[in-house]
Amino acid sequence: MKEPEITKEQLFVMNQLSILRNKHRSSYFWKTRLNINDYWNKNPKSIPSGVREIFFDSFDKINAVFYHLQKINEQEDLILQVGSKLRKITNIESPPGVAGITHEPISYEFELFIMQSSACLEVFSRAVSICFKNESGFRELKKSLINVKKAKATQIVRCLEKKKYTSLMKEFIKEKGSSGRQNRRDYSVHFGTLNTGTINIPIASPQKVIRSYVTELSKNNTSPFGAQDLISFCKNYFYLLCDLIREILEILFSVKLEKGMKTSTLEAFIATKKSKRSMSKM
């Protein structure tokens, strides 16, 4: 039976769907995903039955984390556009001041960013531990691997102990004896809202715009102690998350995995196309 031909209109819609999906995929990790998938295809016995699907679930969560990172950025940009309009319509002779704008959707997206990051590590750790005939989440992964008398387990433990990943470990693993301190994920789920503060827009003033920030958790609340720029904080955590997962995969399967650009797969594709055109004109 002859297959029906795809019309130009159908092809156009399919291309639009592809563009929308690639807009929210992280190029930084996508190459890693393609590399490890190729390796598993060539070496199917290297991974226990059913575990490949769990790994891919964790990879999908990386895209979810990246999606919320993009949304935080988009929401901030919206407010900055409003602030720019405020500056233009404000009488230049009026006294200098600052418009502090609270925009709750930024906090909502930040909470989802943290929750998906935690979920990603939990699912990934489950897949890793099954490879050692165990089953544990991220919080118990290091402890469960210490008792495994295999070189790769020891290497993964050393990876988790690297100074580079200290902030990531502290973010999602509750320290022993810290009964009064919750990590951000636990605080958000069980205790309250992760407040990302106001965006301060200078009016009739040469001051710089102060973007939203992330606060450190005290024992009982989210007081702005040691506040950091929210976007910088989230980007740092996202790329640390990708690096940790990539490094553990390299140890576990003895394979070298690539990094992509620190952008979406769509933007990376466009940038590569432009680069090739420039090279062809030389």
Side-chain angles (χ1 to χ4, degrees), residues 198-226:
T198 59
I199 297 180
N200 297 319
I201 311 290
I203 304 298
S205 168
Q207 288 179 291
K208 290 183 179 179
V209 170
I210 300 174
R211 299 174 75 94
S212 53
Y213 53 82
V214 59
T215 59
E216 291 297 326
L217 294 178
S218 68
K219 287 189 176 181
N220 301 309
N221 55 41
T222 51
S223 60
F225 174 77

Side-chain angles (χ1 to χ4, degrees), residues 1 34 36 48 68 80 89 112 143 152 175 184 246:
M1 185 177 176
L34 295 177
I36 196 64
H68 291 299
L80 293 176
I89 63 174
L112 291 169
K143 186 179 178 181
K152 287 185 177 181
E175 295 173 3
R184 288 185 178 85
R246 181 185 299 106

Side-chain angles (χ1 to χ4, degrees), residues 40-144:
W40 287 334
N41 285 337
K42 293 173 184 175
N43 304 276
K45 292 182 180 179
S46 67
I47 185 167
S49 177
V51 178
R52 186 171 181 170
E53 289 75 15
I54 302 173
F55 274 120
F56 276 117
D57 283 343
S58 70
F59 300 164
D60 285 338
K61 288 189 179 296
I62 287 177
N63 284 331
V65 178
F66 184 68
Y67 172 82
H68 291 299
L69 172 60
Q70 289 177 308
K71 289 298 173 183
I72 290 169
N73 210 23
E74 286 174 15
Q75 290 296 329
E76 272 210 348
D77 286 345
L78 282 172
I79 295 304
L80 293 176
Q81 287 173 23
V82 172
S84 178
K85 288 178 182 177
L86 271 174
R87 296 184 79 163
K88 287 178 182 177
I89 63 174
T90 302
N91 185 350
I92 199 66
E93 294 178 1
S94 63
V98 174
I101 303 173
T102 301
H103 191 55
E104 290 86 354
I106 295 174
S107 295
Y108 304 156
E109 290 296 343
F110 178 54
E111 288 193 355
L112 291 169
F113 172 87
I114 290 293
M115 288 180 198
Q116 284 290 359
S117 298
S118 177
C120 174
L121 288 168
E122 289 295 320
V123 175
F124 179 75
S125 297
R126 180 168 165 255
V128 171
S129 61
I130 291 173
C131 291
F132 293 99
K133 298 180 181 179
N134 199 337
E135 191 165 347
S136 62
F138 185 61
R139 300 181 189 208
E140 302 84 28
L141 182 62
K142 179 181 167 182
K143 186 179 178 181
S144 70

